[in-house]
Amino acid sequence: MDFSYQSERFADLQLLRYRLNGFDKLSLKQKMLVYYLSKATLFGRDITFDQFGKYNLRIRKMLEVVYCDQTIPRETDDFKAMEIYLKRIWFSNGIYHHYGCEKFKPGFSPEWLREQLQQVDVRRLPLKEGETLKQFCEELFPVIFDETVFPKRVNKADGEDLLLTSACNFYDGVTQAEAEAFYQEMKQKNADSQTPSSYGLNSTLVKENGEICERVWCANGKYANAIRHIVYWLEKAHGVAENEQQKKVVSLLINYYQSGDLQIFNEYCIEWLKEHDSAIDFINGFIEVYGDPLGLKGSWEGLVEYIDEEATKRTQTISRNAQWFEDHSPVDPRFRKPVVKGVSANVICAAMLGGDEYPSTAIGINLPNADWIRAQYGSKSITISNITEAYNKAAHGNGFREEFVIDAETLHLIETYGDICDDLHTDLHECLGHGSGQLLPGVDPDALKAYGNTIEEARADLFGLYYIADPKLVELGLVPDGEAYKSQYYTYMMNGLMTQLIRITPGNQIEEAHMRNRALIAHWCLENGNAVRFVRREGKTYVEIADYEELRTLIARLLAEVQRIKSEGDYEAARQLVERYAVKVDAVLHAEVLERYQRLNLAPYKGFINPMMLPVLDENGEICDIQLNYGESYVHQMLRYSSEYATLI
């Protein structure tokens, strides 16, 4: 079968495929391990949907029933609009944009939807016990059609109650002040702990009879059915694990899922960091906190991976020199780590994406997130080669660079060095940036509150930007010469100042933490020196870098300040930095960028269709191989997942 990276496109989205390069070289036992871990990854899907909004699962199920009913005419404008709306829900794990967090606007009418629901088999709809269709519609229709009802999944607007104005399903009936006080009291009670928990990471905070309490996500608590299915496949994976340490890691994860005990999660993270001998690795659990406006609660995600051995030579070179990079960082020596421990970095091939990593996924990951574990035991970093490969193949020759890059000389620079430096900046960001620096004694890791995610991403990006221009990288053979870094500096500044605005709806501000981070860095450098500027040529705005060496000096200054803010827990400085440089959008420039981008007829967001893994059985019914199939369509995959992996509705 011929392989094509690009699949269908709708709304502002382009679906891609990724190849499992080298999968055929894995042993049968390794393939079985990947398969079992992949099943555990897919069974968490409903958790992510529910976390991203309390009505997401019921709305998805309702629309899937309408979509699959063959008696409903499919050629009407309403049906076609509903189809796009449903596809967007699948992509974003709910009714909110996966990046901007604003609620989708349906292109179909409530009257049309009500009429279709009256025609379908009501037994297939996700009605509560004793609920009538009329009551069902009265509850869900305002959520879908009224723009004022739960308008944003994550709200980070300064001065507002971030919980009461966010639709994410991590809190119920609790104000921001109450939640912050609840977890502050919990931290104070355990202030002497040498192994502090990531308080609130795996629970919904609710108010019951006037009392605030946690509903823990575990095999005997909230999300129990989904978690029990995950545990079942983790137990299967345990049986084919590659070594005793990997078995220990899987066992601890199972124990954590069964108990919900965050101290066991700490043990799991530490043992996971010690496991270096396997070709197969995975992420499975409540991990990243970007979906919580307070930055406490982990969205469920899954990733199964195996090592890309050739590309890993690059990241291993970086990790072997981690202490040199830390020692030569431009930050105050008080904020550097005297001894860098346990830095592990691999380039991997993704084998299966799930939860908050699907269909849209990161290209690099650094874990665990707990600062004290990083300080004592180190971290693992990955960059995902086959995902980057798919992005690069899809972007080749699409006209984007030609439209926005200032001149032919700079364009040639980017075409020559761009892919190398993009990968390298991701490596530096994940392998070293997140793992660099240290908190001063007594500083609360959550002291920056809602600004913590943006500051942390800026810190890692600045670390990568500073060092990608260092002669040390030429010495290590990571870049071909001293000119290469300029391609990354230009594309980063162009993105932070201009081109990432294609992802913003006119009239909106920047909300997403990674976008805020890039805007912060680019606008700070624009305002605080003469290295970067806007210029107009032939009626178009471009970014010009007048002095690359000065730009590196500015990056060093900002890195020093961002690390100080992180190390000292300076909330007010973080707030001022983010609000001044990272949030506001120039409406005139925004309109120009959108108009120029629209002419290119490109989709600003990309996501992925997973490969199908099919066990091949021998005559005794035993698995003798795992077959890959890349031919599944987006709609078929989403409907299949909603059927095979439905655990919460």
Side-chain angles (χ1 to χ4, degrees), residues 114-389:
R114 184 176 285 106
E115 182 181 340
Q116 310 318 308
L117 291 174
Q118 290 169 348
Q119 295 182 32
V120 302
D121 183 350
V122 71
R123 293 171 297 179
R124 299 181 60 209
L125 294 172
L127 272 62
K128 300 174 185 176
E129 185 175 354
E131 185 179 36
T132 66
L133 180 58
K134 182 176 183 295
Q135 292 169 330
F136 176 75
C137 293
E138 286 175 348
E139 181 177 18
L140 295 188
F141 275 38
V143 181
I144 298 172
F145 295 104
D146 189 336
E147 295 182 15
T148 66
V149 176
F150 305 115
K152 298 198 70 175
R153 177 167 66 88
V154 182
N155 178 38
K156 293 187 177 181
D158 189 32
E160 297 184 10
D161 187 307
L162 302 186
L163 300 193
L164 298 183
T165 57
S166 295
C168 55
N169 196 21
F170 296 121
Y171 305 89
D172 189 358
V174 180
T175 68
Q176 179 179 348
E178 288 172 331
E180 290 175 344
F182 180 88
Y183 286 113
Q184 187 59 37
E185 182 181 357
M186 189 176 287
K187 290 176 183 178
Q188 289 174 349
K189 286 181 179 178
N190 298 278
D192 296 331
S193 173
Q194 299 301 304
T195 60
S197 297
S198 298
Y199 300 108
L201 183 70
N202 66 335
S203 66
T204 304
L205 194 66
V206 302
K207 184 182 288 187
E208 296 178 339
N209 300 319
E211 295 292 324
I212 297 175
C213 61
E214 291 184 309
R215 291 180 181 167
V216 177
W217 309 329
C218 64
N220 295 304
K222 189 171 183 180
Y223 302 138
N225 192 42
I227 290 171
R228 288 169 187 166
H229 280 83
I230 294 169
V231 166
Y232 172 84
W233 288 103
L234 288 175
E235 289 172 339
K236 300 279 280 186
H238 182 274
V240 291
E242 295 192 82
N243 54 54
E244 290 303 314
Q245 182 63 21
Q246 192 174 61
K247 286 185 177 180
K248 185 175 184 180
V249 169
V250 175
S251 291
L252 282 168
L253 181 57
I254 290 171
N255 291 342
Y256 162 61
Y257 270 138
Q258 289 173 333
S259 66
D261 187 337
L262 287 169
Q263 282 295 314
I264 296 178
F265 181 67
N266 283 345
E267 294 178 48
Y268 157 75
C269 291
I270 292 166
E271 296 303 324
W272 178 72
L273 287 171
K274 296 177 183 177
E275 209 293 285
H276 299 296
D277 297 328
S278 303
I280 315 299
D281 205 350
F282 68 102
I283 297 165
N284 190 296
F286 308 106
I287 309 295
E288 301 292 357
V289 296
Y290 299 104
D292 174 9
L294 299 187
L296 297 174
K297 305 207 169 282
S299 301
W300 193 93
E301 67 180 63
L303 170 68
V304 186
E305 65 194 61
Y306 57 94
I307 289 178
D308 181 336
E309 294 185 0
E310 184 60 33
T312 291
K313 294 175 183 177
R314 181 182 74 233
T315 54
Q316 289 177 343
T317 298
I318 293 171
S319 59
R320 281 196 301 269
N321 289 274
Q323 190 66 58
W324 184 92
F325 288 104
E326 185 76 2
D327 293 343
H328 291 81
S329 170
V331 308
D332 189 313
R334 294 180 302 143
F335 308 142
R336 298 181 197 152
K337 286 180 177 174
V339 179
V340 178
K341 298 179 181 179
V343 174
S344 168
N346 290 316
V347 179
I348 60 96
C349 282
M352 192 62 66
L353 308 172
D356 200 15
E357 290 292 335
Y358 168 82
S360 177
T361 184
I363 58 173
I365 297 171
N366 178 275
L367 291 172
N369 287 325
D371 284 290
W372 73 269
I373 296 180
R374 289 174 179 274
Q376 294 184 33
Y377 298 96
S379 63
K380 274 188 187 180
S381 299
I382 59 168
T383 51
I384 310 177
S385 61
N386 57 340
I387 295 297
T388 302
E389 176 188 51

Side-chain angles (χ1 to χ4, degrees), residues 21-59:
N21 302 314
F23 183 81
D24 56 326
K25 297 178 182 178
L26 299 178
S27 69
L28 174 59
K29 189 175 181 181
Q30 288 174 324
K31 289 179 180 178
M32 291 172 65
L33 177 58
V34 169
Y35 173 70
Y36 293 146
L37 291 172
S38 295
K39 297 290 280 187
T41 292
L42 296 173
F43 265 111
R45 181 175 183 248
D46 276 3
I47 297 176
T48 309
F49 267 90
D50 189 72
Q51 289 180 320
F52 285 6
K54 66 187 294 185
Y55 300 99
N56 282 338
L57 284 170
R58 300 182 79 204
I59 291 172

Side-chain angles (χ1 to χ4, degrees), residues 6 91 136 322 401:
Q6 298 197 42
F91 191 97
F136 176 75
R401 289 174 177 173

